[in-house]
Amino acid sequence: NSKTILKATAAVGEYFKTYRHRAVLVGYDGRVLSSEYAQLTAYKLQRMGFNVMLSNRSVPTPVFSLCMSMLNAVFGIMITASHNPMQFNGYKLFIEDGKQAEADVTDEIQRLMSSTLDYELKDYEDVDRTFLYFGPLEIFKSYVSASYKRAKNEMSLMYSPMYGVGEPYMATFLEMVFGTNYMTVPEHRESQVFLESANPEEPAAWETIFKQPIDKENKPDLIFATDPDSDRISFCAKTANNDYILFKGQEIAIMLTAYLAETRNVEYKDTIVKSNVTTDVVERIWPGMTVNVPVGFKNIAEKMDPHFIAGFEESCGFNLRRDILDKDPYSSIFEIINMANFVKKTYNVTLDEY
């Protein structure tokens, strides 16, 4: 609620009070009250003397992380509930370079929230609020143009944002990188209302996708889905029998590791970082180094040094570049599509046979 938002924001502002000269970002997803909570957060930070920029539209969490880095922001607050049920919302704190805040930061902010900080905004409803804005989609387009080369793709695609904010950004990415059109799931466009699961890890979340009226002769080769804040990604692949197989996070990690090992000139220091509950098969098939870290993608981000090749979390969180210091569905879909094309061209098999 608003009181919790203001308490958290007052504590964050107090923690970073010596950095008021630096840029601060506030973003939001498409949840109920996300935009309103973001404005409340931005105004509170303004009143505390910070140089605040508010997103001019809903933004995926990984793109918010990217904007943090590209705009050299000292911290950022993202209003999002990720893939949790529709009645929830959440508050994520990012620090410099777009990393999620670590425990020593969040523990101190929790302590400050319990103190006697002045968090109220008595004039909020009575003033005209003016914000500086940043454009996450424009920043993302600039990033993709500078960072990705055009790639060939012979796979037909379908994509679902699972009621979330992913579609404008994923459409931009696929068009700019692959020149690819894709089928959509109309029921899964951005919405504040969704009753079924919106977590692509769960088979139940795919039921609406599999019910789409698709011509049996023109089934897409690959179907991708991201969760509502568009950081987790999973996919299905068409089998030789014209059915679909849904891959779990562990299986995606194994396939990508095998593909990277086969197609890269791997050196000893080339590193895959994975959560300690992600399958050990990765270690057995990767010829370079493997580092295990505690669960939580911020722990993977801490290990993204120049030798970093990929980061895997069993809960469908992946990153195959170092540009975004968080889960990255764009580098993930890029390598998965490349992998599917490679497997088809090299072995003439589908991904379930790879």
Side-chain angles (χ1 to χ4, degrees):
N1 57 36
S2 296
K3 181 177 178 180
T4 303
I5 292 286
L6 287 172
K7 273 192 169 185
T9 303
V12 170
E14 178 67 15
Y15 183 87
F16 288 100
K17 63 185 178 182
T18 58
Y19 296 93
R20 289 190 175 97
H21 61 288
R22 296 277 302 280
V24 172
L25 304 189
V26 178
Y28 58 92
D29 67 8
R31 293 300 184 98
V32 174
L33 295 178
S34 280
S35 176
E36 290 81 358
Y37 285 154
Q39 290 183 51
L40 182 63
T41 299
Y43 186 65
K44 177 61 177 176
L45 289 170
Q46 275 187 344
R47 290 295 301 272
M48 296 180 75
F50 285 95
N51 177 24
V52 185
M53 288 190 285
L54 177 64
S55 177
N56 66 4
R57 62 181 299 155
S58 59
V59 54
T61 297
V63 176
F64 184 75
S65 172
L66 177 71
C67 291
M68 285 282 303
S69 174
M70 295 189 72
L71 295 175
N72 193 30
V74 66
F75 72 88
I77 294 166
M78 177 71 188
I79 307 297
T80 176
S82 187
H83 56 270
N84 291 299
M86 68 177 187
Q87 66 268 31
F88 292 96
N89 216 319
Y91 188 101
K92 281 188 177 180
L93 175 63
F94 288 82
I95 56 176
E96 250 180 327
D97 297 326
K99 295 184 291 188
Q100 289 190 41
E102 298 171 358
D104 59 335
V105 177
T106 56
D107 288 349
E108 177 61 14
I109 288 170
Q110 282 188 312
R111 187 193 68 77
L112 288 168
M113 285 180 69
S114 302
S115 69
T116 57
L117 282 176
D118 178 18
Y119 65 87
E120 294 188 7
L121 275 179
K122 295 178 181 178
D123 65 344
Y124 184 69
E125 300 296 337
D126 303 323
V127 298
D128 293 327
R129 296 178 292 279
T130 302
F131 300 109
L132 293 174
Y133 291 93
F134 70 97
L137 186 56
E138 292 72 25
I139 291 171
F140 181 67
K141 287 178 180 178
S142 175
Y143 158 72
V144 174
S145 177
S147 303
Y148 283 87
K149 294 180 180 179
R150 192 83 165 190
K152 293 182 179 180
N153 173 42
E154 296 182 0
M155 300 288 119
S156 55
L157 310 175
M158 175 179 275
Y159 169 68
S160 163
M162 291 203 169
Y163 309 102
V165 297
E167 186 152 17
Y169 300 84
M170 192 61 77
T172 295
F173 183 82
L174 293 174
E175 172 59 32
M176 290 181 69
V177 176
F178 293 105
T180 300
N181 293 319
Y182 59 89
M183 298 180 224
T184 61
V185 183
E187 296 94 325
H188 282 184
R189 288 179 179 145
E190 183 174 339
S191 173
Q192 295 182 347
V193 179
F194 55 92
L195 299 178
E196 63 183 357
S197 169
N199 184 351
E201 295 177 73
E202 299 173 355
W206 292 79
E207 291 179 4
T208 302
I209 297 175
F210 291 141
K211 292 177 182 176
Q212 295 299 298
I214 304 171
D215 184 347
K216 291 184 178 180
E217 300 302 317
N218 295 296
K219 283 186 172 182
D221 297 306
L222 302 171
I223 305 176
F224 293 93
T226 51
D227 67 339
D229 73 327
S230 198
D231 59 357
R232 300 172 193 269
I233 186 168
S234 189
F235 77 102
C236 292
K238 188 168 67 175
T239 69
N241 295 325
N242 212 32
D243 295 322
Y244 283 103
I245 180 170
L246 172 61
F247 294 107
K248 299 176 182 177
Q250 305 276 31
E251 295 167 326
I252 296 171
I254 293 169
M255 283 193 296
L256 284 171
T257 301
Y259 164 69
L260 293 170
E262 189 170 3
T263 57
R264 301 275 182 97
N265 293 319
V266 181
E267 298 181 359
Y268 171 71
K269 290 185 178 181
D270 289 342
T271 304
I272 287 180
V273 186
K274 68 182 188 69
S275 65
N276 54 22
V277 293
T278 299
T279 174
D280 291 336
V281 175
V282 169
E283 296 178 55
R284 296 202 293 269
I285 61 179
W286 180 243
M289 294 182 66
T290 308
V291 175
N292 289 287
V293 297
V295 172
F297 215 88
K298 60 186 175 183
N299 297 310
I300 292 175
E302 283 296 313
K303 301 295 183 181
M304 289 184 182
D305 64 18
H307 299 290
F308 174 84
I309 299 296
F312 299 136
E313 198 169 49
E314 81 295 340
S315 53
C316 293
F318 313 107
N319 188 318
L320 291 100
R321 297 175 73 97
R322 291 195 303 133
D323 303 333
I324 296 174
L325 298 184
D326 202 352
K327 295 182 281 287
D328 179 1
Y330 311 106
S331 64
S332 304
I333 199 170
F334 177 75
E335 295 296 356
I336 291 168
I337 291 172
N338 285 339
M339 175 175 65
N341 281 280
F342 170 80
V343 168
K344 181 68 175 178
K345 182 178 180 180
T346 306
Y347 301 109
N348 195 30
V349 297
T350 53
L351 281 179
D352 64 305
E353 301 171 297
Y354 181 47

